[in-house]
Amino acid sequence: MPFAIIVHGGAGNIREAQRAPHAAGIRQAVTAGYALLARGESALDAAQAAVMILEDLPAFNAGRGSCLTSAGTIEMDAGLMDGRDLRVGAVASITHVANPIAVARLVMERSEHILFAAEGAQAFAQAQGVAAVSTEALLTPARTQEFAHVQQANFAATLAAEQRGAVADTVGAVALDIHGNLAAACSTGGMSWKKPGRVGDSPLPGCGYYADSQAGGCVTTGWGETIARVVLARRAVEALERGLDPQAAAQAALAFLAARTGGWAGLIVLDRHGRVGAAFNSVRMTHAWWDSDMAEPTVVA
């Protein structure tokens, strides 16, 4: 069986100074996921490993490097899905953890629920023995500077810029293993200057991520409020079910989003044959893929 992984590090107007660390980080993530797949490990393990790499790198808006809310706090969302049996695990508005995607995996495997939020997510993580980290451990100088800048600016203008795709957000991965199973995972710090408690598409199955081993998987990035309104990840997988190839499926789903909501987004798609697709209507989307027929990954940053 073929195996493959595709990873993204967010869509938006990624500044020139960020492009090199984005490219290096996304290469590191896709390489880590691919190495697991090459050893026969599961798609779920590969997707999670790739996302955890990006959560640990300060260049990305997930885990360490997450943006700040209007209250100066960090609230993160993450979710993952196993395409074998459609199991889901997710967390929303979780605060003091280094790797929200790892907590989402625990939700999938050690609870009867699919999503914990805010204090409930934090309590679940603590009960599972996940180490707590301080806000300072997650905060980067770039995010501190960004917060100060937004405080001084007109918030309506800042929000309008974000809604036009002026910033990058969210990380994610879709993997196919040698057993023919697919998995999708995503994680984010959310929208810069968001109100405390705001949750976008990222922890919501079908919106920020979706995987079905009988068809394919998808992870999205972008303006979460519009992504959720069209259930973008599931829409792309439905296009695969109708017989579209992954690139056509990604483009069709994105076109629907733009036409019906005026929103901006990016999405990565992987089908059950190991074929990939990627589409975005922002300036850029950092992404990379690697399949078992390739000698090295392809990186777009």
Side-chain angles (χ1 to χ4, degrees), residues 32-277:
Y34 182 87
L36 290 177
L37 295 172
R39 295 204 304 263
E41 302 294 334
S42 73
L44 197 60
D45 286 342
Q48 179 183 337
V51 168
M52 287 180 67
I53 291 285
L54 300 175
E55 287 178 332
D56 290 339
L57 293 173
F60 300 94
N61 181 16
R64 180 170 179 251
S66 289
C67 65
L68 293 166
T69 71
S70 59
T73 57
I74 289 176
E75 297 181 0
M76 302 167 288
D77 306 325
L80 75 172
M81 187 167 186
D82 189 340
R84 293 175 299 178
D85 51 14
L86 308 185
R87 289 185 303 157
V88 167
V91 291
S93 296
I94 196 168
T95 53
H96 298 292
V97 299
N99 297 109
I101 196 65
V103 183
R105 179 75 177 270
L106 292 172
V107 173
M108 173 190 286
E109 297 184 339
R110 299 186 186 179
S111 82
E112 66 274 30
H113 304 305
I114 66 166
L115 192 157
F116 286 102
E119 292 86 356
Q122 204 68 42
F124 175 81
Q126 182 177 1
Q128 297 302 315
V130 177
V133 300
S134 66
T135 297
E136 289 71 25
L138 300 172
L139 189 59
T140 63
R143 291 300 182 187
T144 302
Q145 185 179 39
E146 177 187 72
F147 182 76
H149 174 75
V150 176
Q151 277 185 311
Q152 297 170 8
N154 179 282
F155 175 60
T158 302
L159 178 62
E162 180 140 341
Q163 291 172 347
R164 291 195 303 271
V167 297
D169 69 347
T170 315
V171 302
V174 188
L176 170 71
D177 63 34
I178 61 172
H179 306 291
N181 297 318
L182 281 141
C186 72
S187 181
T188 187
M191 178 185 288
S192 182
W193 201 256
K194 65 185 179 182
K195 292 182 179 179
R198 178 265 186 185
V199 177
D201 64 296
S202 296
L204 305 179
C207 301
Y209 60 98
Y210 196 83
D212 185 342
S213 296
Q214 296 182 8
C218 174
V219 176
T220 70
T221 175
W223 184 3
E225 279 73 8
T226 58
I227 289 171
R229 282 160 57 191
V230 301
V231 197
L232 186 62
R234 176 58 191 158
R235 181 170 294 276
V237 175
E238 286 176 348
L240 296 177
E241 292 171 342
R242 295 197 305 270
L244 273 65
D245 64 63
Q247 186 59 36
Q251 290 172 336
L254 184 64
F256 183 87
L257 170 87
R260 294 301 306 274
T261 71
W264 67 275
L267 62 163
I268 53 174
V269 179
L270 178 63
D271 75 4
R272 64 189 182 93
H273 304 293
R275 301 177 300 177
V276 303

